[in-house]
Amino acid sequence: HCTLLLWLSLLVLIPFNLATIDSGSAQQQQQQSIVYKILGTCKEFLENSGLVREMSAYLLSQLLTRPDNAHVLKEFLEWSQENLSRSKEGTEDDVRKIASSVFLTLGISTTIAAIFK
């Protein structure tokens, strides 16, 4: 997973709009674009512990700070706020859910720190 995320972080550095390399047709919904696929994958990896979470945060920081993805940054920050407030107010008994919540909080925090770095 780390290698895939590192490769995608290099792909995101291209100097032109990511829509030009998207293989989908223009009639596809916005949620199926390459940007939203990367975003969804990284959100899932933010719950992991270890290097995968760090690489996902790095890739998200590279993706979300692109000038053509300002609207995606806003959506990510709203998603982050929802998850951080949910983990703060939740009283879960399941150890796996608590651990996942802690790792997600760390992943979101790392991503936001890398974005504003």
Side-chain angles (χ1 to χ4, degrees):
H1 292 119
C2 290
T3 306
L4 169 71
L5 294 172
L6 182 62
W7 180 79
L8 285 172
S9 70
L10 294 174
L11 177 72
V12 166
L13 294 177
I14 59 173
F16 45 87
N17 195 330
L18 288 175
T20 59
I21 63 166
D22 200 353
S23 62
S25 66
Q27 289 123 11
Q28 274 188 333
Q29 292 182 352
Q30 181 181 4
Q31 297 297 333
Q32 294 179 353
S33 71
I34 191 170
V35 172
Y36 283 98
K37 287 179 183 178
I38 293 172
L39 183 66
T41 302
C42 287
K43 283 180 182 179
E44 291 177 20
F45 286 148
L46 285 179
E47 293 183 7
N48 291 348
S49 62
L51 193 56
V52 174
R53 182 185 66 229
E54 302 299 321
M55 291 304 298
S56 179
Y58 175 74
L59 172 56
L60 279 172
S61 71
Q62 295 293 318
L63 177 70
L64 298 175
T65 54
R66 291 179 54 91
D68 57 336
N69 288 332
H71 64 285
V72 182
L73 174 61
K74 181 181 176 195
E75 291 174 20
F76 176 77
L77 291 175
E78 290 170 356
W79 175 84
S80 299
Q81 184 179 12
E82 283 178 27
N83 281 288
L84 291 174
S85 64
R86 187 180 323 138
S87 67
K88 188 171 122 178
E89 66 189 29
T91 58
E92 300 147 325
D93 294 327
D94 188 14
V95 174
R96 180 174 284 150
K97 286 183 181 179
I98 293 172
S100 176
S101 174
V102 168
F103 291 132
L104 181 60
T105 301
L106 287 171
I108 290 172
S109 301
T110 304
T111 304
I112 292 173
I115 288 170
F116 294 113
K117 184 176 179 183

PDB file of all heavy atoms in Angstrom, residues 75-87 108 112:
ATOM      1  N   GLU A  75     -14.481  20.032   0.992  1.00  0.00           N
ATOM      2  CA  GLU A  75     -15.223  18.818   1.329  1.00  0.00           C
ATOM      3  C   GLU A  75     -14.458  17.959   2.329  1.00  0.00           C
ATOM      4  O   GLU A  75     -15.044  17.393   3.253  1.00  0.00           O
ATOM      5  CB  GLU A  75     -15.513  18.004   0.068  1.00  0.00           C
ATOM      6  CG  GLU A  75     -16.505  18.660  -0.859  1.00  0.00           C
ATOM      7  CD  GLU A  75     -16.670  17.895  -2.159  1.00  0.00           C
ATOM      8  OE1 GLU A  75     -16.317  16.688  -2.205  1.00  0.00           O
ATOM      9  OE2 GLU A  75     -17.152  18.499  -3.133  1.00  0.00           O
ATOM     10  N   PHE A  76     -13.136  17.864   2.164  1.00  0.00           N
ATOM     11  CA  PHE A  76     -12.337  17.067   3.083  1.00  0.00           C
ATOM     12  C   PHE A  76     -12.348  17.675   4.484  1.00  0.00           C
ATOM     13  O   PHE A  76     -12.438  16.950   5.484  1.00  0.00           O
ATOM     14  CB  PHE A  76     -10.895  16.939   2.593  1.00  0.00           C
ATOM     15  CG  PHE A  76     -10.006  16.208   3.566  1.00  0.00           C
ATOM     16  CD1 PHE A  76     -10.057  14.833   3.665  1.00  0.00           C
ATOM     17  CD2 PHE A  76      -9.139  16.899   4.394  1.00  0.00           C
ATOM     18  CE1 PHE A  76      -9.266  14.149   4.569  1.00  0.00           C
ATOM     19  CE2 PHE A  76      -8.345  16.233   5.300  1.00  0.00           C
ATOM     20  CZ  PHE A  76      -8.401  14.860   5.388  1.00  0.00           C
ATOM     21  N   LEU A  77     -12.240  18.992   4.572  1.00  0.00           N
ATOM     22  CA  LEU A  77     -12.256  19.632   5.884  1.00  0.00           C
ATOM     23  C   LEU A  77     -13.608  19.462   6.580  1.00  0.00           C
ATOM     24  O   LEU A  77     -13.658  19.278   7.803  1.00  0.00           O
ATOM     25  CB  LEU A  77     -11.882  21.110   5.751  1.00  0.00           C
ATOM     26  CG  LEU A  77     -10.431  21.382   5.356  1.00  0.00           C
ATOM     27  CD1 LEU A  77     -10.208  22.868   5.133  1.00  0.00           C
ATOM     28  CD2 LEU A  77      -9.468  20.827   6.390  1.00  0.00           C
ATOM     29  N   GLU A  78     -14.687  19.492   5.820  1.00  0.00           N
ATOM     30  CA  GLU A  78     -16.008  19.236   6.406  1.00  0.00           C
ATOM     31  C   GLU A  78     -16.111  17.791   6.890  1.00  0.00           C
ATOM     32  O   GLU A  78     -16.631  17.533   7.979  1.00  0.00           O
ATOM     33  CB  GLU A  78     -17.106  19.539   5.386  1.00  0.00           C
ATOM     34  CG  GLU A  78     -17.268  21.011   5.086  1.00  0.00           C
ATOM     35  CD  GLU A  78     -18.177  21.290   3.906  1.00  0.00           C
ATOM     36  OE1 GLU A  78     -18.638  20.331   3.240  1.00  0.00           O
ATOM     37  OE2 GLU A  78     -18.427  22.483   3.638  1.00  0.00           O
ATOM     38  N   TRP A  79     -15.614  16.841   6.088  1.00  0.00           N
ATOM     39  CA  TRP A  79     -15.607  15.434   6.479  1.00  0.00           C
ATOM     40  C   TRP A  79     -14.768  15.238   7.737  1.00  0.00           C
ATOM     41  O   TRP A  79     -15.148  14.494   8.650  1.00  0.00           O
ATOM     42  CB  TRP A  79     -15.068  14.588   5.325  1.00  0.00           C
ATOM     43  CG  TRP A  79     -14.903  13.140   5.656  1.00  0.00           C
ATOM     44  CD1 TRP A  79     -15.860  12.172   5.610  1.00  0.00           C
ATOM     45  CD2 TRP A  79     -13.699  12.498   6.083  1.00  0.00           C
ATOM     46  NE1 TRP A  79     -15.310  10.968   5.974  1.00  0.00           N
ATOM     47  CE2 TRP A  79     -13.986  11.137   6.265  1.00  0.00           C
ATOM     48  CE3 TRP A  79     -12.398  12.943   6.314  1.00  0.00           C
ATOM     49  CZ2 TRP A  79     -13.031  10.218   6.685  1.00  0.00           C
ATOM     50  CZ3 TRP A  79     -11.451  12.024   6.725  1.00  0.00           C
ATOM     51  CH2 TRP A  79     -11.767  10.685   6.912  1.00  0.00           C
ATOM     52  N   SER A  80     -13.638  15.917   7.798  1.00  0.00           N
ATOM     53  CA  SER A  80     -12.750  15.822   8.961  1.00  0.00           C
ATOM     54  C   SER A  80     -13.433  16.342  10.213  1.00  0.00           C
ATOM     55  O   SER A  80     -13.359  15.717  11.277  1.00  0.00           O
ATOM     56  CB  SER A  80     -11.470  16.614   8.722  1.00  0.00           C
ATOM     57  OG  SER A  80     -10.774  16.112   7.632  1.00  0.00           O
ATOM     58  N   GLN A  81     -14.108  17.462  10.081  1.00  0.00           N
ATOM     59  CA  GLN A  81     -14.801  18.032  11.228  1.00  0.00           C
ATOM     60  C   GLN A  81     -15.887  17.096  11.736  1.00  0.00           C
ATOM     61  O   GLN A  81     -16.039  16.911  12.943  1.00  0.00           O
ATOM     62  CB  GLN A  81     -15.395  19.385  10.857  1.00  0.00           C
ATOM     63  CG  GLN A  81     -16.049  20.095  12.011  1.00  0.00           C
ATOM     64  CD  GLN A  81     -16.613  21.452  11.608  1.00  0.00           C
ATOM     65  OE1 GLN A  81     -16.707  21.779  10.432  1.00  0.00           O
ATOM     66  NE2 GLN A  81     -16.993  22.229  12.596  1.00  0.00           N
ATOM     67  N   GLU A  82     -16.637  16.486  10.822  1.00  0.00           N
ATOM     68  CA  GLU A  82     -17.663  15.511  11.221  1.00  0.00           C
ATOM     69  C   GLU A  82     -17.062  14.353  11.981  1.00  0.00           C
ATOM     70  O   GLU A  82     -17.577  13.955  13.033  1.00  0.00           O
ATOM     71  CB  GLU A  82     -18.379  14.957   9.985  1.00  0.00           C
ATOM     72  CG  GLU A  82     -19.385  15.854   9.354  1.00  0.00           C
ATOM     73  CD  GLU A  82     -19.981  15.217   8.111  1.00  0.00           C
ATOM     74  OE1 GLU A  82     -20.008  13.968   8.028  1.00  0.00           O
ATOM     75  OE2 GLU A  82     -20.408  15.964   7.212  1.00  0.00           O
ATOM     76  N   ASN A  83     -15.985  13.783  11.470  1.00  0.00           N
ATOM     77  CA  ASN A  83     -15.380  12.617  12.103  1.00  0.00           C
ATOM     78  C   ASN A  83     -14.712  12.953  13.420  1.00  0.00           C
ATOM     79  O   ASN A  83     -14.762  12.159  14.359  1.00  0.00           O
ATOM     80  CB  ASN A  83     -14.384  11.953  11.153  1.00  0.00           C
ATOM     81  CG  ASN A  83     -15.094  11.114  10.121  1.00  0.00           C
ATOM     82  OD1 ASN A  83     -15.619  10.058  10.439  1.00  0.00           O
ATOM     83  ND2 ASN A  83     -15.137  11.597   8.902  1.00  0.00           N
ATOM     84  N   LEU A  84     -14.094  14.110  13.511  1.00  0.00           N
ATOM     85  CA  LEU A  84     -13.472  14.497  14.771  1.00  0.00           C
ATOM     86  C   LEU A  84     -14.515  14.755  15.849  1.00  0.00           C
ATOM     87  O   LEU A  84     -14.331  14.372  17.001  1.00  0.00           O
ATOM     88  CB  LEU A  84     -12.586  15.724  14.574  1.00  0.00           C
ATOM     89  CG  LEU A  84     -11.314  15.491  13.757  1.00  0.00           C
ATOM     90  CD1 LEU A  84     -10.598  16.812  13.515  1.00  0.00           C
ATOM     91  CD2 LEU A  84     -10.398  14.499  14.439  1.00  0.00           C
ATOM     92  N   SER A  85     -15.621  15.373  15.492  1.00  0.00           N
ATOM     93  CA  SER A  85     -16.669  15.618  16.491  1.00  0.00           C
ATOM     94  C   SER A  85     -17.377  14.322  16.857  1.00  0.00           C
ATOM     95  O   SER A  85     -17.779  14.132  18.006  1.00  0.00           O
ATOM     96  CB  SER A  85     -17.668  16.658  15.985  1.00  0.00           C
ATOM     97  OG  SER A  85     -18.345  16.183  14.848  1.00  0.00           O
ATOM     98  N   ARG A  86     -17.520  13.400  15.912  1.00  0.00           N
ATOM     99  CA  ARG A  86     -18.153  12.115  16.196  1.00  0.00           C
ATOM    100  C   ARG A  86     -17.293  11.279  17.145  1.00  0.00           C
ATOM    101  O   ARG A  86     -17.795  10.649  18.053  1.00  0.00           O
ATOM    102  CB  ARG A  86     -18.399  11.338  14.909  1.00  0.00           C
ATOM    103  CG  ARG A  86     -19.197  10.076  15.127  1.00  0.00           C
ATOM    104  CD  ARG A  86     -19.458   9.299  13.856  1.00  0.00           C
ATOM    105  NE  ARG A  86     -19.697  10.133  12.698  1.00  0.00           N
ATOM    106  CZ  ARG A  86     -19.194   9.894  11.497  1.00  0.00           C
ATOM    107  NH1 ARG A  86     -18.420   8.846  11.297  1.00  0.00           N
ATOM    108  NH2 ARG A  86     -19.460  10.687  10.481  1.00  0.00           N
ATOM    109  N   SER A  87     -15.989  11.295  16.941  1.00  0.00           N
ATOM    110  CA  SER A  87     -15.110  10.507  17.811  1.00  0.00           C
ATOM    111  C   SER A  87     -15.017  11.128  19.199  1.00  0.00           C
ATOM    112  O   SER A  87     -14.800  10.436  20.184  1.00  0.00           O
ATOM    113  CB  SER A  87     -13.718  10.383  17.201  1.00  0.00           C
ATOM    114  OG  SER A  87     -13.081  11.631  17.161  1.00  0.00           O
ATOM    115  N   ILE A 108      -6.280  12.238  10.460  1.00  0.00           N
ATOM    116  CA  ILE A 108      -6.854  13.524  10.074  1.00  0.00           C
ATOM    117  C   ILE A 108      -5.949  14.668  10.549  1.00  0.00           C
ATOM    118  O   ILE A 108      -5.678  15.614   9.800  1.00  0.00           O
ATOM    119  CB  ILE A 108      -8.281  13.671  10.630  1.00  0.00           C
ATOM    120  CG1 ILE A 108      -9.230  12.715   9.905  1.00  0.00           C
ATOM    121  CG2 ILE A 108      -8.769  15.105  10.506  1.00  0.00           C
ATOM    122  CD1 ILE A 108     -10.617  12.639  10.518  1.00  0.00           C
ATOM    123  N   ILE A 112      -4.111  17.404   8.101  1.00  0.00           N
ATOM    124  CA  ILE A 112      -4.353  18.846   8.223  1.00  0.00           C
ATOM    125  C   ILE A 112      -3.033  19.582   8.509  1.00  0.00           C
ATOM    126  O   ILE A 112      -2.778  20.655   7.947  1.00  0.00           O
ATOM    127  CB  ILE A 112      -5.422  19.123   9.287  1.00  0.00           C
ATOM    128  CG1 ILE A 112      -6.758  18.597   8.791  1.00  0.00           C
ATOM    129  CG2 ILE A 112      -5.507  20.604   9.618  1.00  0.00           C
ATOM    130  CD1 ILE A 112      -7.880  18.656   9.811  1.00  0.00           C
TER     131      ILE A 112
END
